[in-house]
Amino acid sequence: IIDTDDQLRLLKQLIAEQNCIRANALVSFSGKKGISIGSNVYPYLEPKAAAGLEAAGASSTLSVTSAFRTIAQQYLLYRWYQNGQCGISLAAVPGNSNHETGIAVDVGNYSSVISLMSGHGWTHSYPSSDPVHFDYTAGGTTVLRSESVLAFQRLWNLNNPGAKIAEDGDYGPITASKIAASPAAGFAKAST
């Protein structure tokens, strides 16, 4: 979704902050056998979901086109969807996507791996409206959506002590306005 080195800095900061809130909340599946990762994919999932994806990738190549999204990525994707930009036909409101909790992936070759994915804990959740989307439903995960929002709120406050916002993990108009005002190249102070 965001693919320049400067913009990746903000995404890395948000993931690091989320892992500060909950140790090892998100783990990388980069470089795992049988998993092809698109250029705009940030290859992180919750540990159980990553293990399920890796198990599925051991049997067939999976073409992952989306995985974990930070609140900033979901904000941008949702804006594009609202404005009819970039061919985005469906996007959840920020703070509500399973991608933000690290239990969802989009798979480009979805039709050939549905049964394989389901055998490793993944559900083809919205076959008619979002056919590429899979959710990890085998358990052992934690809903991290509010922590994704909280990670942003904490970084915002660390870098904007005179314009602090509530650190409540709720996505609303104030948090949205601060995401819109955030530096795409990342915050000066990177972690609380």
Side-chain angles (χ1 to χ4, degrees):
I1 293 173
I2 299 175
D3 62 358
T4 69
D5 288 338
D6 283 345
Q7 291 169 328
L8 285 176
R9 183 169 176 241
L10 175 59
L11 304 182
K12 289 176 183 177
Q13 289 174 339
L14 289 167
I15 288 173
E17 185 64 23
Q18 194 158 346
N19 277 333
C20 283
I21 293 168
R22 182 184 304 267
N24 299 311
L26 300 164
V27 297
S28 177
F29 59 87
S30 180
K32 302 299 180 179
K33 179 184 179 229
I35 301 175
S36 169
I37 301 170
S39 62
N40 291 327
V41 176
Y42 217 64
Y44 283 84
L45 291 171
E46 287 194 38
K48 291 281 187 177
L53 189 69
E54 291 169 27
S59 300
S60 179
T61 299
L62 307 174
S63 178
V64 177
T65 59
S66 184
F68 176 75
R69 294 184 198 137
T70 66
I71 189 72
Q73 288 173 299
Q74 191 65 33
Y75 171 84
L76 184 58
L77 186 70
Y78 188 68
R79 291 283 311 256
W80 289 344
Y81 165 69
Q82 286 182 308
N83 295 331
Q85 295 174 286
C86 303
I88 306 298
S89 59
L90 185 65
V93 173
N96 293 285
S97 172
N98 282 347
H99 286 279
E100 291 171 84
T101 196
I103 61 165
V105 293
D106 293 346
V107 179
N109 59 332
Y110 66 91
S111 62
S112 64
V113 297
I114 292 172
S115 62
L116 174 64
M117 293 285 284
S118 67
H120 294 286
W122 293 89
T123 303
H124 194 223
S125 304
Y126 311 103
S128 60
S129 60
D130 193 0
V132 300
H133 184 90
F134 291 83
D135 288 310
Y136 185 77
T137 57
T141 60
T142 303
V143 176
L144 300 175
R145 282 183 217 96
S146 65
E147 291 178 11
S148 176
V149 177
L150 179 60
F152 170 78
Q153 293 167 333
R154 286 172 53 162
L155 284 174
W156 175 267
N157 287 344
L158 179 67
N159 287 277
N160 297 280
K164 288 188 173 187
I165 59 176
E167 292 184 15
D168 57 10
D170 289 331
Y171 179 82
I174 293 171
T175 298
S177 70
K178 301 309 180 191
I179 291 172
S182 294
F187 290 107
K189 296 177 184 174
S191 179
T192 62

